[in-house]
Amino acid sequence: ETGVTQSPTHLIKTRGQQVTLRCSSQSGHNTVSWYQQALGQGPQFIFQYYREEENGRGNFPPRFSGLQFPNYSSELNVNALELDDSALYLCASSLDNGVYTFGSGTRLTVV
Amino acid sequence: QQQVKQSPQSLIVQKGGISIINCAYENTAFDYFPWYQQFPGKGPALLIAIRPDVSEKKEGRFTISFNKSAKQFSLHIMDSQPGDSATYFCAASMVAAAGNKLTFGGGTRVLVKP
């Protein structure tokens, strides 16, 4: 049984650019969530997908968007990057029972 | 709005000692309370979790105590080991809700001295 894998592990982007982060869910998990974790803080919920549909969203602007694919893998897209978007982005998958498995995250630095 | 408050922010304990981390929540609809352990450069890993119908749950050296009336829960790490040095996060969620997001506390950095 494989866990949650995220790519890339690190990324440096320039302010105003766009970025796509990828996540492969744990085998059999149909729900995926994305979290933003700023340095020294707890993860903040961005949004969640269940069977390819967004079914929950946190307090993040529309330039944060996502997709879930039929194989339950997922993407997080961020447009018009701002310096404050620098953070660890975490993907978590679940069998829709509230028990989540997290990936190791993508460290995004915006310069 | 911070719905889960965690304390202390950091903790230093001697090897063999007890680490205690406390969390308080506001939303009485929360029905699942997990604790996560996070090492530098890694994602959070589920340590132990409790539902509000029990007051205590123990798994090895880790125990959750839950006080529903006070809306508080805590993690006790018994016989703390240097390998337990990590950041610990409490969280809460409403499992049955659509988009059952986890609301995290701010984290506690634990250092276990040998």
Side-chain angles (χ1 to χ4, degrees), chain B residues 36-111:
Chain B
Y36 285 85
Q37 179 188 56
Q38 186 176 29
F39 292 104
K42 298 292 185 182
L46 179 65
L47 198 58
I48 186 173
I50 198 168
R51 309 265 179 181
D53 52 343
V54 297
S55 60
E56 186 174 283
K57 182 175 181 180
K58 183 177 181 180
E59 289 184 1
R61 297 184 294 109
F62 301 93
T63 300
I64 299 179
S65 296
F66 186 82
N67 186 329
K68 188 174 181 179
S69 61
K71 294 187 288 185
Q72 295 175 348
F73 58 110
S74 61
L75 176 70
H76 295 228
I77 307 174
M78 313 299 287
D79 187 25
S80 296
Q81 300 296 312
D84 296 333
S85 297
T87 301
Y88 293 81
F89 293 95
C90 62
S93 72
M94 292 175 278
V95 175
N100 47 25
K101 66 175 184 177
L102 289 165
T103 300
F104 283 86
T108 298
R109 182 174 291 185
V110 174
L111 176 64

Side-chain angles (χ1 to χ4, degrees), chain A residues 67-79:
Chain A
L67 282 174
Q68 186 182 29
F69 300 99
N71 65 355
Y72 301 135
S73 65
S74 177
E75 286 183 354
L76 165 65
N77 299 288
V78 187
N79 295 321

Side-chain angles (χ1 to χ4, degrees), chain A:
Chain A
E1 177 179 279
T2 57
V4 177
T5 57
Q6 293 187 240
S7 62
T9 55
H10 296 84
L11 201 53
I12 299 175
K13 287 287 189 177
T14 302
R15 189 172 51 182
Q17 285 188 316
Q18 178 266 344
V19 69
T20 297
L21 310 181
R22 294 178 174 82
C23 171
S24 292
S25 302
Q26 182 165 322
S27 178
H29 284 187
N30 55 17
T31 302
V32 65
S33 300
W34 286 91
Y35 289 79
Q36 180 195 66
Q37 186 177 22
L39 201 60
Q41 297 183 23
Q44 297 293 314
F45 176 74
I46 302 175
F47 45 57
Q48 177 172 287
Y49 282 82
Y50 171 68
R51 295 187 175 179
E52 304 177 58
E53 296 288 331
E54 184 181 299
N55 72 340
R57 189 176 183 92
N59 189 25
F60 281 80
R63 57 189 187 83
F64 286 78
S65 63
L67 282 174
Q68 186 182 29
F69 300 99
N71 65 355
Y72 301 135
S73 65
S74 177
E75 286 183 354
L76 165 65
N77 299 288
V78 187
N79 295 321
L81 284 166
E82 300 176 0
L83 296 179
D84 284 348
D85 295 334
S86 295
L88 181 67
Y89 288 85
L90 295 163
C91 172
S93 71
S94 167
L95 267 172
D96 195 35
N97 59 359
V99 182
Y100 287 92
T101 300
F102 282 81
S104 291
T106 294
R107 172 71 62 187
L108 173 65
T109 302
V110 182
V111 297

